[in-house]
Amino acid sequence: MTSVVVLGVGGVGAWVYNDLNNNINSAAVDDKLGGDRPENLSPGSKNIMIVGSDSRDGANAKYGKDLTTMQSDTLMVLHIPADRKWASVVSFPRDSWVEIPSCQKGDGSSSSPHHFKINEAFAIGGSNNKVGEAAACSIKTVEANTGLRIDHFMSVDFSGFKGMVDALGGIEVCPKQAIHDKKAHLDMEAGCQTVKGEKALGYVRVRYAVGDGSDIGRIGRQQEFMDALAKKAKSKLTSPDAMYGFLQSITKSLTTDPDMAGIKQLYGLADELKGIPSDRLSFLTVPNYGRVADQPTDKANVVWQYPQAADLFTSLAKDKEVTKPQLEAAKKNVVYASSVRVQVLNGTGVSGRAAAVAEKLKDAGYTVTGTGNAPGGTVPKTTVTYPTGLDSQAAVLASRLPGLRPAADTSAAPGVVTLVVGPELKIGDVA
């Protein structure tokens, strides 16, 4: 899409260039992110957070009942490696159950850290309907849960999306079944058809009335729709009226950090992306499973699958390519957090540390069998050990703790993984 914008702008006059350039909104976020951020482990690489958002004001109000803050329906991170030979787009299901860190709210107060759906972060920061504050909380949440350093952000709102589609005369979609969804305000028959405006928006937002009703299925439809949108935009490059309307819509709906806010900056980004072959651009979704497997009462949300999710984030942080086939193969070996039985022992000498860590693990779905003190009282560092047959369970637990590798212990009691908390482990680093 960035390439299309750049190609389109390249064919217009200086006055149109300035007009489009002035459309792009800028929002500074650095002062809202705090100092405890991940390091960039691969200098020269970039991570760009992309949010599909709306304020639910005006014409958008019907898409959310009693919602007064900004909402994010789509959340992705584009990773551009230092060598610019490949790229990955990682989608985060909006129903991902994660820890939301403390964020600055619109009224100047701060929220408390808690677990909830990942898309709540945008709403917490955007309680005053300012994109910068909303994006800042989402960035903090993504960084805290992935370890990836976010370098830039882009936010595109609902109204801009509809304008882009309409300027191109609509986009053809081919649903295999009829779709009737009141929440998405969508009624469509099966078969190929061209959608515009509200119907196009409803199609990419629809969830419950098509497929398996999951956010995962919706992510796939959104990726397909955006691919079709980009291809049609390219086909309209020689049509001044269509391209001007398209460029007006996308630039008016775009808010970025100051370093990305401008046509010149988008040119630079497109220049970095233009040499990447299409077969080296991977669209990935964070490995996940239904949270109901860990919490029987929660049938609405998903949790990330470990250690696969941690391996994905670590690979990108270290600038190592991950392909979709690789990720799909790794996802097949599911170990639910609730199946990991763990005892937590305090090796810090600080009273209550094992209990605090145990509570964090319980919140993340693990089965804590008990707490106590480590033999000998104190240890130099945190360890994870496991008896024969529990290597997979130990790997899941260790992947939620920074820099740990589990070790086999043939003398350990069967059925239980042992976590000995050392002095370097911070409570905030757990799960």
Side-chain angles (χ1 to χ4, degrees):
M1 292 300 296
T2 302
S3 299
V4 172
V5 171
V6 171
L7 289 170
V9 173
V12 302
W15 72 271
V16 175
Y17 177 98
N18 291 329
D19 183 29
L20 297 173
N21 194 66
N22 292 333
N23 284 342
I24 301 174
N25 295 308
S26 171
V29 297
D30 287 351
D31 61 334
K32 303 174 184 66
L33 299 178
D36 188 18
R37 302 183 62 194
E39 294 182 19
N40 185 338
L41 301 180
S42 52
S45 67
K46 291 182 181 179
N47 290 312
I48 303 174
M49 187 186 77
I50 304 167
V51 181
S53 69
D54 70 287
S55 64
R56 304 288 164 96
D57 288 334
N60 290 332
K62 65 183 179 181
Y63 290 102
K65 183 179 180 181
D66 300 325
L67 295 175
T68 58
T69 66
M70 303 189 77
Q71 306 292 312
S72 66
D73 268 21
T74 304
L75 180 63
M76 299 177 286
V77 169
L78 165 63
H79 178 82
I80 306 173
D83 64 11
R84 306 303 194 256
K85 293 182 178 180
W86 56 275
S88 294
V89 180
V90 181
S91 292
F92 298 83
R94 72 171 191 171
D95 295 337
S96 296
W97 192 262
V98 299
E99 183 164 4
I100 311 292
S102 175
C103 290
Q104 182 178 321
K105 299 167 68 175
D107 60 5
S109 64
S110 295
S111 63
S112 299
H114 62 284
H115 282 82
F116 207 75
K117 298 179 183 183
I118 197 169
N119 69 330
E120 189 202 34
F122 201 80
I124 290 173
S127 57
N128 59 358
N129 283 318
K130 292 185 178 180
V131 177
E133 281 82 348
C137 192
S138 288
I139 290 172
K140 289 186 70 173
T141 300
V142 170
E143 288 189 343
N145 286 276
T146 67
L148 294 172
R149 172 91 176 203
I150 301 300
D151 302 293
H152 304 286
F153 85 88
M154 293 181 171
S155 176
V156 181
D157 68 28
F158 272 7
S159 58
F161 172 82
K162 291 183 288 187
M164 282 185 272
V165 173
D166 289 351
L168 299 176
I171 301 297
E172 185 180 63
V173 297
C174 300
K176 296 180 180 180
Q177 63 186 74
I179 305 174
H180 304 289
D181 191 303
K182 292 182 179 180
K183 290 187 176 182
H185 300 271
L186 182 65
D187 286 291
M188 294 179 65
E189 299 305 319
C192 294
Q193 55 202 283
T194 298
V195 294
K196 299 180 181 179
E198 297 292 336
K199 182 167 283 191
L201 180 58
Y203 181 77
V204 297
R205 293 194 70 253
V206 69
R207 170 180 177 178
Y208 298 104
V210 62
D212 61 2
S214 72
D215 196 44
I216 313 303
R218 175 164 58 179
I219 286 173
R221 289 190 296 277
Q222 289 174 344
Q223 291 175 346
E224 291 174 1
F225 192 95
M226 292 306 292
D227 182 55
L229 180 67
K231 288 177 180 176
K232 187 157 189 182
K234 287 183 180 179
S235 73
K236 295 286 187 178
L237 287 173
T238 56
S239 173
D241 289 343
M243 276 314 298
Y244 182 68
F246 174 81
L247 294 170
Q248 278 283 357
S249 294
I250 191 170
T251 53
K252 282 183 177 179
S253 69
L254 187 63
T255 300
T256 76
D257 60 277
D259 290 339
M260 293 288 290
I263 298 298
K264 182 179 179 180
Q265 291 87 327
L266 293 179
Y267 262 112
L269 177 60
D271 189 56
E272 294 176 340
L273 296 173
K274 68 181 181 182
I276 297 175
S278 58
D279 62 351
R280 298 289 297 277
L281 173 61
S282 298
F283 287 90
L284 311 172
T285 300
V286 179
N288 63 86
Y289 60 84
R291 189 170 179 251
V292 67
D294 296 332
Q295 300 289 344
T297 58
D298 186 356
K299 299 180 180 179
N301 301 304
V302 300
V303 292
W304 295 347
Q305 180 182 340
Y306 287 89
Q308 290 83 353
D311 291 343
L312 169 62
F313 303 141
T314 299
S315 294
L316 295 181
K318 294 182 177 180
D319 229 12
K320 296 180 180 179
E321 185 175 8
V322 179
T323 67
K324 192 166 186 176
Q326 288 173 337
L327 192 62
E328 291 299 317
K331 284 166 53 178
K332 294 179 181 179
N333 302 315
V334 181
V335 177
Y336 301 129
S338 57
S339 72
V340 180
R341 302 177 72 245
V342 54
Q343 65 170 338
V344 184
L345 303 181
N346 187 356
T348 68
V350 179
S351 178
R353 188 61 62 86
V357 170
E359 284 303 312
K360 293 278 288 185
L361 293 176
K362 289 177 183 177
D363 287 343
Y366 293 90
T367 301
V368 176
T369 62
T371 60
N373 292 319
T378 60
V379 296
K381 63 178 182 179
T382 302
T383 60
V384 173
T385 57
Y386 62 92
T388 302
L390 291 188
D391 51 328
S392 295
Q393 287 81 354
V396 171
L397 177 63
S399 70
R400 307 300 301 272
L401 305 167
L404 277 183
R405 289 184 177 274
D409 182 359
T410 56
S411 64
V416 179
V417 177
T418 299
L419 168 62
V420 179
V421 180
E424 88 291 358
L425 184 64
K426 300 177 182 178
I427 301 300
D429 290 336
V430 181

